[in-house]
Amino acid sequence: QVQFVESGGGLVQPGGSLRLSCAASESIFIIYTMGWYRQAPGKQRELVTTITSGGITNYADSVKGRFTISRDNAKNMVYLQMNSLKPEDTAVYYCNANSGTTLLSRPFGSWGQGTQVTVSS
């Protein structure tokens, strides 16, 4: 199984920024489409953005224009730059390998612990 470790979360004020990091366990990471997911209290986990092995990206309408996904295949890393954060962005954020590039695709790696993002004044 492919395993992931997320980091970079924290407490920020509305309008602030955070950069999340995800480290993959395998060097074969280079072939995978990757995604960032989030799960807010009392809600189901949702896929918010994806990036292909070649760098093509897709974003949910709720984060488009504010979040940017990127990857460094040589380092087995994927990142999420989050700007103009809103209270509704509060959630635990997870990364995973995806079955496809659309926001209807499914994860197939193991879930990590995630990293908590809290947006509050």
Side-chain angles (χ1 to χ4, degrees):
Q1 291 181 300
V2 181
Q3 297 179 321
F4 304 97
V5 178
E6 301 91 347
S7 62
L11 174 64
V12 297
Q13 294 183 334
S17 298
L18 284 173
R19 185 175 186 250
L20 307 184
S21 298
C22 168
S25 64
E26 299 184 357
S27 60
I28 202 171
F29 167 86
I30 191 172
I31 72 172
Y32 298 144
T33 292
M34 293 292 298
W36 281 98
Y37 297 75
R38 66 185 183 186
Q39 187 167 26
K43 298 183 178 180
Q44 296 187 39
R45 184 152 43 203
E46 64 171 336
L47 177 61
V48 297
T49 181
T50 62
I51 184 168
T52 71
S53 60
I56 305 301
T57 59
N58 196 11
Y59 297 92
D61 288 342
S62 59
V63 306
K64 194 173 299 180
R66 300 187 298 119
F67 291 10
T68 303
I69 188 172
S70 61
R71 66 193 297 163
D72 186 337
N73 290 336
K75 297 180 179 179
N76 289 358
M77 297 287 291
V78 62
Y79 307 97
L80 184 65
Q81 178 66 47
M82 304 186 295
N83 299 326
S84 301
L85 284 162
K86 305 174 181 179
E88 51 262 45
D89 295 318
T90 295
V92 178
Y93 284 72
Y94 304 86
C95 64
N96 212 325
N98 277 14
S99 63
T101 62
T102 77
L103 299 181
L104 297 177
S105 60
R106 298 180 178 182
F108 63 86
S110 298
W111 291 109
Q113 296 300 305
T115 186
Q116 176 72 51
V117 172
T118 303
V119 185
S120 177
S121 60

